[in-house]
Amino acid sequence: MTQGEGTINVENVNSQDYLWKFWPVVPLYPYGKRRTIRKEVVKDTIWTFDQMQGVFYVVVPIRMTVVKLENGGLLVYAPVAPTGECIRLVNELVAEHGEVKYIILPTISGIEHKVFVGPFARCFPNAQVFVAPEQWSFPVNLPLSWLGLPGTRTQVLPEDSQKTPFADEFDYAILGPIDLGPGKFAEVAFFHQRSHTLLVTDTIVSVPAEPPAIVQLDPYPLLYHAKDKAYDIVADTAENRLKGWQRITLFAFYFQPSVLEVPKWKDVFTDAWKAPERSLKTYFGFFPFQWRQDWERSYEALRGDGRIFVAPVLQSLILNRAPQETINWANRVAQWDFQWIIPCHFDAPIKAEPQQFRKAFSFLEKYPSGGLVNSNSYPLPEDDFQVLRDIDQGLNRFKIVPPARDRV
């Protein structure tokens, strides 16, 4: 087996096996039921564990990565919900490769990642927990133990990666913390030297050409967004699943891309009455979306040919608050000899080289090195950023966040 191909487990399990009872803490779809798919991406070395989350059926993968240590045992990067199914799949690796030794929380702002670390760590009481520096909570900063992290075995990742017990196999680089007013943003990129694999959380993404396997376990969200009108009856076909996935991708990255219009509420109510099913599952027939005929062009511009890029939300609202710091971090990461990237969302593993990673951050530069001509660095369509720009202006107007800084 070569890296990037892998094998996927998809099992028929008892519904009790994928219950997540703490879902009200972060009430994201599919709420209390979370399936898990494990994929081996480097034989006997790296596995990904995909679950699904979303709002208003805008569902995307959320991913945990497990790495086998050279002398036995496992390191877990960015835990997902420790359902019975998930823990059973991890324990299958434990039985073959050794216990979970280290659990990494590589972010300080991603509550969809932070919420799982404490419960996951309690399933593996011998594991040491390492968290990104300057963790915070809103509206009041609380001690790590009050955030559910095990107090006696949780420590902050030191700035110097050589001071960790896994330094002989991993290097890491900390981005931030970046001041965002009410909170902060930080991300820790991990480099597994033996497999030439880079682990990141939210900064880098790539859009898969087909709907991810975890999303296709329950295709309803895909078919919901494949509709053009509230009263459409959409057949469950590969074509419609793909159509729904492409629209979900645009929602997830732009909130409201330029090719999406909001119809008049009078028409929304009228169409809702025509819907064949009006239930809580269907939002009582409400479908407040109207896609332009050429909406696919926006998706194609976003995906490109499977290139890697920085999510538009981070481009518009976060990383532009610290452009020089971000570029310095990207330069450091690009010095590592990685051949694959595993993000926590969307596609993985991604075949990519350090130069491609570095060019993904060229939006922060006045004069990007190498120009903006290849598919891994050309800017996304400015029209699709309009809603994000409006949000940014509103936050600045009320002085909620620091203003964006000039490109470097």
Side-chain angles (χ1 to χ4, degrees):
M1 182 186 307
T2 59
Q3 183 162 25
E5 294 176 357
T7 57
I8 297 176
N9 79 291
V10 179
E11 306 174 2
N12 292 319
V13 297
N14 187 297
S15 61
Q16 297 296 311
D17 206 22
Y18 51 86
L19 289 180
W20 172 240
K21 63 181 179 179
F22 297 116
W23 69 266
V25 177
V26 182
L28 298 175
Y29 183 88
Y31 311 114
K33 294 184 178 181
R34 283 183 172 245
R35 292 298 310 270
T36 304
I37 290 180
R38 183 185 68 203
K39 179 180 180 181
E40 184 180 58
V41 294
V42 179
K43 185 168 178 56
D44 293 332
T45 303
I46 297 182
W47 300 262
T48 57
F49 289 67
D50 280 16
Q51 294 182 357
M52 178 179 68
Q53 67 179 25
V55 177
F56 208 77
Y57 294 136
V58 178
V59 292
V60 298
I62 179 169
R63 179 174 300 112
M64 167 177 81
T65 304
V66 176
V67 183
K68 177 187 175 182
L69 302 171
E70 195 164 10
N71 294 323
L74 305 169
L75 178 143
V76 176
Y77 181 90
V80 291
T83 62
E85 180 184 35
C86 176
I87 297 304
R88 176 168 50 79
L89 293 171
V90 174
N91 279 332
E92 289 177 4
L93 301 182
V94 169
E96 186 174 357
H97 303 290
E99 66 179 354
V100 173
K101 290 187 175 180
Y102 311 113
I103 298 171
I104 311 298
L105 171 58
T107 179
I108 66 173
S109 52
I111 189 171
E112 76 275 17
H113 300 288
K114 295 169 68 169
V115 71
F116 302 128
V117 178
F120 188 92
R122 286 192 287 274
C123 296
F124 301 97
N126 294 325
Q128 296 182 55
V129 181
F130 289 84
V131 303
E134 298 196 36
Q135 295 289 326
W136 59 276
S137 56
F138 183 83
V140 178
N141 274 326
L142 299 172
L144 294 178
S145 60
W146 288 27
L147 298 176
L149 298 170
T152 59
R153 52 193 175 97
T154 297
Q155 51 192 303
V156 175
L157 285 166
E159 187 69 30
D160 183 359
S161 63
Q162 294 304 305
K163 295 180 180 180
T164 62
F166 42 81
D168 57 337
E169 294 191 59
F170 292 89
D171 198 355
Y172 61 75
I174 303 172
L175 170 60
I178 297 173
D179 182 21
L180 299 176
K184 298 178 180 179
F185 173 89
E187 176 166 327
V188 187
F190 264 60
F191 173 51
H192 185 233
Q193 299 162 9
R194 182 159 46 96
S195 66
H196 301 278
T197 301
L198 177 69
L199 309 180
V200 296
T201 312
D202 299 313
T203 46
I204 286 292
V205 289
S206 179
V207 179
E210 299 293 330
I214 189 64
V215 174
Q216 298 210 53
L217 288 182
D218 176 11
Y220 185 81
L222 299 173
L223 303 179
Y224 177 86
H225 284 290
K227 296 189 296 185
D228 293 313
K229 293 288 187 178
Y231 47 80
D232 286 347
I233 298 176
V234 180
D236 186 3
T237 64
E239 181 181 12
N240 283 331
R241 289 190 181 199
L242 178 59
K243 179 181 178 181
W245 170 246
Q246 292 174 345
R247 290 177 170 180
I248 283 172
T249 299
L250 291 173
F251 271 122
F253 283 121
Y254 295 123
F255 300 163
Q256 184 181 339
S258 61
V259 290
L260 176 66
E261 299 174 349
V262 178
K264 296 180 180 179
W265 281 105
K266 174 185 175 182
D267 296 331
V268 172
F269 279 97
T270 300
D271 288 349
W273 279 108
K274 299 177 184 178
E277 181 183 355
R278 293 191 298 276
S279 64
L280 181 60
K281 180 179 181 180
T282 65
Y283 296 111
F284 303 101
F286 283 91
F287 188 76
F289 313 116
Q290 184 172 315
W291 292 91
R292 296 179 183 173
Q293 289 187 345
D294 62 343
W295 66 268
E296 292 96 336
R297 67 172 172 81
S298 188
Y299 170 79
E300 293 299 335
L302 178 67
R303 182 178 183 274
D305 56 356
R307 62 170 174 157
I308 62 173
F309 61 96
V310 176
V313 172
L314 270 69
Q315 291 192 31
S316 303
L317 303 177
I318 296 177
L319 300 186
N320 57 350
R321 266 64 189 175
Q324 187 62 67
E325 185 175 0
T326 302
I327 290 295
N328 293 343
W329 175 79
N331 285 337
R332 180 181 172 188
V333 172
Q335 292 176 359
W336 295 331
D337 180 28
F338 58 85
Q339 300 168 9
W340 299 89
I341 302 177
I342 301 180
C344 286
H345 303 284
F346 287 88
D347 205 8
I350 307 164
K351 180 68 173 174
E353 299 176 353
Q355 183 183 21
Q356 293 171 294
F357 174 90
R358 175 59 181 83
K359 285 184 177 179
F361 295 88
S362 61
F363 68 94
L364 293 170
E365 298 175 293
K366 295 178 182 177
Y367 308 105
S369 58
L372 286 170
V373 295
N374 80 37
S375 61
N376 285 293
S377 60
Y378 66 77
L380 298 171
E382 184 63 29
D383 289 349
D384 288 327
F385 277 81
Q386 187 56 53
V387 168
L388 294 172
R389 304 289 189 219
D390 292 343
I391 293 173
D392 185 42
Q393 290 177 8
L395 294 173
N396 286 328
R397 186 181 308 117
F398 293 102
K399 298 182 178 180
I400 296 174
V401 298
R405 297 181 185 176
D406 293 337
R407 295 180 182 181
V408 297

